[in-house]
Amino acid sequence: MRNKPGPRIKEISITPIAIVDPPLLNAAGLHAPYALRTIVELVTDDGISGISEIPGNSAIDAALHDSRELLIGKDVFQLNEIRQVLVNRFGTETASQRGEAPWDQRKLVHIFSAIEVACMDIIGKVTNRPVVDLLGGKLRDRVPFAAYLFYKYEGAGGELGFNSDPNAVGWAAARQAAALDPVGIVAQAKAMCAEFGFQSIKLKGGVFEPQQEVDAMVALYDAFGPDVPLRVDPNALWTVETAIKYGKKMESILEYLEDPVRGQENMAKVRQAVKTPLATNMCTTSFDDIPGSIALGSEDIILSDHHFWGGLRSSITLAGICATFKRGLSMHSNSHLGISLAAMVHLGAALPEVPYALDTHYPWQSDEVITAGRFKFEEGSVLVPSEPGLGVELDRVTLAKLHQNYLDCGLTKRDDEIEMQKVQPGWTFQSVRW
Ligand code: GKR
Ligand code: MG
């Protein structure tokens, strides 16, 4: 019997969007009033649509446009061939191209992810299976996420910028409040956990001098007690000495310490000196980094992210490597909407183990681009979609509105340093600060 050829890609739409983001602080500066995302839609010759979402950046968008002619006519099931064609066109990418910012600045890995996820959405629709089944099947019905706290200035972001909507209530109101000290962080945590039911908490650090951030973690521990796992992420801004000094102070209260220092060698030094497990989304972020990670012992937990590990199937490969080398595996996040969340949930449901609640920025976003509206969290978890493919559909009216936001806001890439300089003239990003 002859194999029937799979559905072929006929159209590719690449739509940059800008979504409202509050003034959140991090090691690289300040979030702009809008976070950028790119929505990719593939349509097959028989009219089936597959979608994906990746971090927005005009260079990645341009490369996606360049890859169009290579992808048109390709069978969506031939993911290996699609990947090969993209590698041939763009060449390989080194781990160092990730850059020093908290977020990953590579191009090719994001393109792989965008195309692979959209193809898998189509494959799921063709085979009448949710994406999780294409990853080997579901091991859990719900995927747990953690509260992700940020120091922040007052403000709602978007058109309101540093102003607030006086009519907002509940989390929508709390999301606007300033949080610049331990009291503000505890208030933010209480409001976020009340709304979403999160049972683990992460603080984005690397903003204030280390003792203030340690005080915030102690305040969270005092407010939530020993049953709520806590993590802090200084995004590699500390020296080895600082990380050992303050890491030791937090040994009895942390579930893990995320990227206290820069680079695998430094992470390995801290790991030998501090009892708390170390996690990373900065020093081990590609398969090329794995030999160094194992040789040096740079971390205990790898925070995977299908957007920069090259897609969902690569993330499953990573899970196998983690199991072999006794690394824990969890998930990293950036500002995102529901298409990314759906992909994260399918992946989270397929992972052999989910020992740590996954990261998500989702509570910080108020926009959505899928027809069903915003995902609901129950007791901090998201139910795994059971419909074919990702289980979410594009809301085209909202997509057009968010694209207009992109055109109007004038941003073409993320630059938190420039945003910070608008508030603190002369402020510069330092790759190691304390
Ligand atoms: O959104 O400010 C942020 C975060 O700092 C993000 O860019 C990081 O990539 O969440 C991330 C992390 O865990 O390092
Ligand atoms: Mg991190």
Side-chain angles (χ1 to χ4, degrees):
M1 198 169 67
R2 278 186 53 210
N3 282 344
K4 193 170 159 249
R8 293 184 185 278
I9 300 171
K10 189 173 162 204
E11 287 163 35
I12 304 178
S13 310
I14 299 146
T15 313
I17 61 172
I19 59 178
V20 171
D21 203 22
L24 308 179
L25 290 154
N26 70 14
L30 178 66
H31 283 211
Y34 293 94
L36 304 184
R37 305 293 285 174
T38 294
I39 306 299
V40 174
E41 181 178 22
L42 307 181
V43 181
T44 63
D45 44 12
D46 41 2
I48 305 170
S49 147
I51 54 177
S52 62
E53 174 188 341
I54 54 169
N57 172 309
S58 57
I60 299 179
D61 294 350
L64 272 165
H65 279 283
D66 278 358
S67 64
R68 238 198 190 113
E69 70 196 49
L70 304 169
L71 297 169
I72 300 284
K74 289 275 175 282
D75 173 344
V76 296
F77 280 80
Q78 302 309 313
L79 292 168
N80 296 330
E81 185 196 343
I82 288 176
R83 191 182 177 93
Q84 201 51 58
V85 160
L86 291 169
V87 171
N88 292 345
R89 168 69 182 80
F90 294 106
T92 48
E93 214 161 28
T94 63
S96 66
Q97 285 173 279
R98 181 203 176 279
E100 291 196 318
W103 61 94
D104 195 300
Q105 294 171 57
R106 285 172 295 168
K107 215 158 55 178
L108 191 55
V109 284
H110 288 100
I111 295 177
F112 283 159
S113 161
I115 302 302
E116 189 231 42
V117 171
C119 284
M120 291 189 72
D121 190 24
I122 294 172
I123 296 172
K125 289 176 181 170
V126 170
T127 55
N128 201 25
R129 292 285 186 171
V131 163
V132 63
D133 282 2
L134 309 178
L135 299 174
K138 191 166 74 168
L139 290 173
R140 54 200 64 80
D141 292 328
R142 288 178 168 68
V143 175
F145 288 89
Y148 195 151
L149 312 180
F150 275 85
Y151 288 107
K152 74 178 288 283
Y153 293 129
E154 185 176 345
E159 279 178 5
L160 285 170
F162 295 103
N163 296 318
S164 299
D165 172 2
N167 300 318
V169 292
W171 168 243
R175 181 168 51 196
Q176 306 179 127
L180 295 165
D181 55 23
V183 173
I185 288 296
V186 170
Q188 187 185 95
K190 286 189 173 162
M192 195 188 274
C193 291
E195 176 76 15
F196 297 90
F198 294 125
Q199 289 159 24
S200 300
I201 299 177
K202 161 174 172 172
L203 173 64
K204 169 60 54 183
V207 174
F208 292 111
E209 57 90 20
Q211 187 59 51
Q212 207 237 77
E213 299 190 353
V214 172
D215 291 345
M217 297 315 294
V218 171
L220 286 168
Y221 184 82
D222 290 343
F224 287 85
D227 295 335
V228 175
L230 300 178
R231 314 111 184 222
V232 60
D233 176 11
N235 272 131
L237 240 64
W238 293 354
T239 63
V240 168
E241 295 68 32
T242 301
I244 293 173
K245 176 176 168 191
Y246 292 96
K248 280 182 182 296
K249 289 191 184 193
M250 294 187 285
E251 269 175 349
S252 61
I253 62 167
L254 286 192
E255 176 187 40
Y256 61 73
L257 175 57
E258 183 173 330
D259 285 312
V261 291
R262 195 166 291 279
Q264 290 182 329
E265 287 84 0
N266 288 337
M267 286 283 280
K269 287 180 194 158
V270 176
R271 188 163 170 251
Q272 277 161 23
V274 177
K275 292 196 192 103
T276 308
L278 297 194
T280 189
N281 64 276
M282 296 186 78
C283 77
T284 303
T285 59
S286 70
F287 293 103
D288 287 350
D289 288 322
I290 298 288
S293 155
I294 304 309
L296 293 162
S298 47
E299 73 281 316
D300 301 276
I301 301 151
I302 295 178
L303 301 171
S304 149
D305 182 324
H306 73 272
H307 304 91
F308 65 70
W309 276 91
L312 298 171
R313 292 176 322 132
S314 296
S315 303
I316 295 288
T317 304
L318 175 64
I321 292 173
C322 285
T324 305
F325 292 104
K326 308 279 177 286
R327 292 286 186 278
L329 181 65
S330 192
M331 211 179 279
H332 160 269
S333 147
N334 264 309
S335 312
H336 66 91
L337 295 182
I339 304 173
S340 281
L341 184 61
M344 291 156 77
V345 169
H346 284 283
L347 175 59
L351 292 174
E353 289 173 29
V354 179
Y356 310 99
L358 313 181
D359 281 0
T360 179
H361 281 53
Y362 198 67
W364 292 105
Q365 267 64 70
S366 42
D367 292 310
E368 193 41 284
V369 73
I370 53 176
T371 50
R374 292 192 47 86
F375 268 91
K376 305 272 178 298
F377 288 70
E378 277 172 28
E379 295 176 3
S381 294
V382 176
L383 190 65
V384 184
S386 54
E387 299 83 2
L390 288 174
V392 294
E393 296 297 329
L394 254 188
D395 177 338
R396 289 170 200 286
V397 174
T398 316
L399 181 69
K401 177 180 154 271
L402 298 176
H403 178 58
Q404 191 59 47
N405 281 354
Y406 173 81
L407 298 175
D408 294 345
C409 77
L411 300 167
T412 53
K413 66 172 187 167
R414 180 172 173 184
D415 190 335
D416 293 6
E417 185 183 45
I418 285 183
E419 295 304 319
M420 189 67 156
Q421 285 167 352
K422 293 178 188 168
V423 181
Q424 289 186 34
W427 190 92
T428 52
F429 168 63
Q430 284 170 244
S431 62
V432 176
R433 195 177 286 273
W434 287 285

